[in-house]
Amino acid sequence: MPTPLAGYTSYKGLPPLAGLCSLEEAARPGLSVEECVRRLKRFHYAFKRLHHILTARITAEPVYELKTAFAHHAHLCAEHATAIRTRVGELREPPLGLDDVPHPALEAFFDELLAAPTTEELLVGLYRAAMPAIDAAMERYTRDTHPLTDAPTLRVLRFALMEAADMIWFGGMGINQLVGEAGEERMGDWVGVLNRQLDLAGGLDGTSSVGPAVPDGLSSRPAQPDLQDIPRRYSKTPYVYDPIPKRDERFTDPWNQGVNAEAFLYSEAYPPRAKALMMLYKRLREIDVPEMMASIISQTPGKPWGYYRDMSRQVWDEARHAMMGEVGFVALGVDWTQAKVTFNWSYRLNTECTPLERHGVLYFIEQGLMPKTGKRYEWEVAKDSGLPLMATLQDFDWADEVLHSQIGRQWYVPEFGGLQKALDFGDAAWSKILSNWAAVKEQGLTSHANWWPAVYGQACAAAGAEPDVAVMAFSETYEGKRADLARIAGE
Ligand SMILES: [Fe+2]
Ligand SMILES: [Fe+2]
């Protein structure tokens, strides 16, 4: 018997329903608003926890490619958590309950990931267990919900699914290269714990028949295993954030403060092309900003969600700035490992300052860039260098910096009730970090070797250019200086 739909046609064969789906698809019932909100709250929880876990691991993750990817993925997770929060707020839901734990087994699952003791286990937990689980749950949602009534959610999840696939791809590559099949097999017991925790939660979205164990009004469910039956492995004791920055073996001599990049860049004695090379060093050295900012985020609980979202955007930008440096060096035929990328700044701020002091130092540096020595100047030098790539890099570095200044104005300055007080606090916190230039030398941690001639020499050789004698001879260090060229207090 033909259905009523069979006789229905749109005007002149145009796609019906604004192109969302067919009439047949839209004529079927979908999920209730209540069920949509219930699942979306779980997706939100998962993205929020992933954001936190990825951020917490940036500082102490030695591998640069993972450090930068964690910054990227933390930002993506924060963005999707934000979009889902907004959508939940549109579904007759007062903005309550978004900070609740949807199921204790889900909480235990993410606690285990956060506490994963090695990079290898972290990768497997994140990219083999958590990300595929949220990906599958979002896929299920898009199949189950009504394509017309819930179109706004589908749009949000479409984007989230694309980026979840990107993250799973990257993580899979990481596992292939760094863990391997044998390594994954050795983690079988722990992965078993993770899977049982997810099962107990009814899957990531709570739709599987096993769960949820928490009373949900359906008293006919079979007896549930208890969370006590799944002993935690790594999260028995609460996770403690590791503030010590670590680098992989390509980053040698991490205490080296032997080349004062700002003194070179702001001097009138040197040509733009050589300055561009020094700017690439400054960009690559910015890997210490995610290392430091991750500590602020990880050690500053209880802020409104917007704080974490915005700060994570900045962490990702700073990781991109470091990668801009990497790209520039490679494009100029320079082995960047010859430039000594110190972690002195992130190490000392993370271990000697409070989170608010660290934020103050960051804000002071970003705000205190005078026009003469600021981002516009760097962009102009980049344009004058004759290297079009440099202009692209510095153009966007400048744009990002303007955004960061706004983020600081929104989340840092109000702590002090005024711009000047906020700047003074940051300046004082930075001055508190007395120069350790002599100390690290005396301790034998570095000789502050001047790496500049080797890097400059390589760039000249790759370009087939004769080195400039004055540029080659540059040998000013950071002895007694901060990177804004201020004398360090007491020096
Ligand atoms: Fe930056
Ligand atoms: Fe910045």
Side-chain angles (χ1 to χ4, degrees):
M1 201 177 80
T3 66
L5 288 170
Y8 182 83
T9 51
S10 58
Y11 183 72
K12 291 190 178 179
L14 285 171
L17 304 174
L20 285 175
C21 60
S22 69
L23 256 302
E24 285 76 11
E25 288 165 313
R28 290 192 288 264
L31 300 176
S32 66
V33 166
E34 187 185 3
E35 173 63 5
C36 289
V37 166
R38 195 193 62 71
R39 292 197 203 180
L40 287 172
K41 282 184 173 176
R42 282 186 170 226
F43 302 161
H44 168 261
Y45 179 75
F47 277 125
K48 195 176 71 170
R49 291 296 310 265
L50 287 171
H51 158 261
H52 177 236
I53 293 164
L54 287 156
T55 303
R57 302 295 292 246
I58 289 169
T59 308
E61 170 52 55
V63 178
Y64 165 83
E65 280 78 0
L66 295 181
K67 201 189 278 286
T68 48
F70 290 170
H72 183 204
H73 293 180
H75 162 65
L76 299 184
C77 289
E79 290 299 313
H80 294 303
T82 303
I84 293 169
R85 275 180 101 85
T86 304
R87 179 59 184 147
V88 168
E90 296 167 356
L91 288 168
R92 288 203 306 264
E93 192 72 5
L96 297 169
L98 276 165
D99 295 319
D100 295 347
V101 174
H103 192 288
L106 214 51
E107 181 177 47
F109 172 82
F110 286 110
D111 289 350
E112 280 290 306
L113 299 188
L114 177 62
T118 64
T119 296
E120 289 80 1
E121 281 156 308
L122 180 66
L123 289 176
V124 169
L126 285 174
Y127 299 104
R128 286 276 197 259
M131 298 274 191
I134 189 168
D135 181 69
M138 292 192 298
E139 282 283 2
R140 193 175 306 118
Y141 184 109
T142 62
R143 284 197 305 274
D144 293 350
T145 201
H146 193 283
L148 178 62
T149 63
D150 197 19
T153 306
L154 285 171
R155 184 173 167 272
V156 168
L157 293 190
R158 189 178 195 179
F159 188 21
L161 278 162
M162 283 171 59
E163 296 198 324
D166 293 346
M167 291 191 275
I168 291 167
W169 170 80
F170 179 91
M173 295 296 283
I175 291 164
N176 288 346
Q177 300 303 118
L178 302 178
V179 183
E181 272 178 41
E184 276 198 81
E185 268 171 38
R186 281 195 296 276
M187 293 173 209
D189 287 352
W190 182 56
V191 173
V193 169
L194 296 176
N195 287 336
R196 289 171 65 204
Q197 288 169 330
L198 265 188
D199 282 349
L200 184 58
L204 195 130
D205 56 7
T207 58
S208 88
S209 55
V210 180
V214 161
D216 59 358
L218 297 175
S219 54
S220 59
R221 289 193 187 280
Q224 299 297 323
D226 196 88
L227 194 53
Q228 311 300 324
D229 302 334
I230 313 171
R232 289 172 179 240
R233 172 159 302 198
Y234 298 133
S235 62
K236 285 195 183 95
T237 52
Y239 166 79
V240 179
Y241 169 75
D242 181 356
I244 307 292
K246 295 185 187 67
R247 304 275 178 84
D248 65 59
E249 61 270 21
R250 294 168 297 177
F251 293 80
T252 56
D253 200 3
W255 297 101
N256 184 315
Q257 299 155 62
V259 178
N260 191 324
E262 292 74 22
F264 186 86
L265 182 59
Y266 304 135
S267 163
E268 284 172 12
Y270 305 111
R273 197 173 169 119
K275 288 183 177 181
L277 191 65
M278 194 63 97
M279 283 198 287
L280 290 174
Y281 169 68
K282 277 172 64 69
R283 295 290 77 79
L284 181 58
R285 192 180 58 184
E286 286 190 65
I287 195 64
D288 63 1
V289 188
E291 287 170 347
M292 189 284 277
M293 285 196 73
S295 79
I296 303 177
I297 296 173
S298 298
Q299 297 181 319
T300 308
K303 289 280 191 181
W305 171 250
Y307 169 89
Y308 300 104
R309 182 227 186 154
D310 290 350
M311 292 288 278
S312 290
R313 166 59 198 270
Q314 187 171 344
V315 167
W316 165 227
D317 290 349
E318 306 299 2
R320 285 192 300 112
H321 297 169
M323 292 187 283
M324 290 178 195
E326 175 193 7
V327 167
F329 274 137
V330 174
L332 291 181
V334 174
D335 168 15
W336 60 261
T337 66
Q338 296 300 307
K340 302 308 171 192
V341 184
T342 179
F343 62 24
N344 192 56
W345 188 77
S346 53
Y347 194 108
R348 298 199 62 203
L349 286 176
N350 286 10
T351 55
E352 297 175 44
C353 291
T354 66
L356 190 62
E357 285 172 336
R358 283 170 230 154
H359 204 169
V361 171
L362 180 72
Y363 185 71
F364 180 83
I365 291 172
E366 295 197 314
Q367 202 63 27
L369 290 169
M370 270 75 66
K372 192 170 144 266
T373 56
K375 288 293 165 187
R376 174 189 286 277
Y377 171 79
E378 291 195 343
W379 174 63
E380 283 167 354
V381 170
K383 281 195 301 177
D384 293 346
S385 73
L387 300 165
L389 174 63
M390 275 312 292
T392 305
L393 300 180
Q394 289 306 136
D395 201 6
F396 282 83
D397 182 70
W398 179 15
D400 290 340
E401 219 50 66
V402 174
L403 175 66
H404 300 169
S405 165
Q406 289 163 7
I407 292 172
R409 264 204 301 283
Q410 181 167 4
W411 296 113
Y412 168 73
V413 174
E415 301 270 344
F416 297 89
L419 179 62
Q420 197 52 51
K421 279 186 193 157
L423 285 172
D424 290 346
F425 181 82
D427 191 11
W430 199 7
S431 291
K432 208 176 94 174
I433 305 293
L434 298 174
S435 173
N436 62 355
W437 197 93
V440 290
K441 195 173 179 195
E442 280 158 22
Q443 290 161 38
L445 293 171
T446 182
S447 60
H448 298 300
N450 181 5
W451 48 262
W452 171 250
V455 166
Y456 177 61
Q458 275 190 68
C460 291
E466 200 55 43
D468 178 308
V469 175
V471 170
M472 195 59 115
F474 178 74
S475 64
E476 192 169 338
T477 77
Y478 281 107
E479 186 173 14
K481 292 266 182 65
R482 305 194 312 202
D484 61 354
L485 303 183
R487 298 298 303 179
I488 287 171
E491 296 280 339

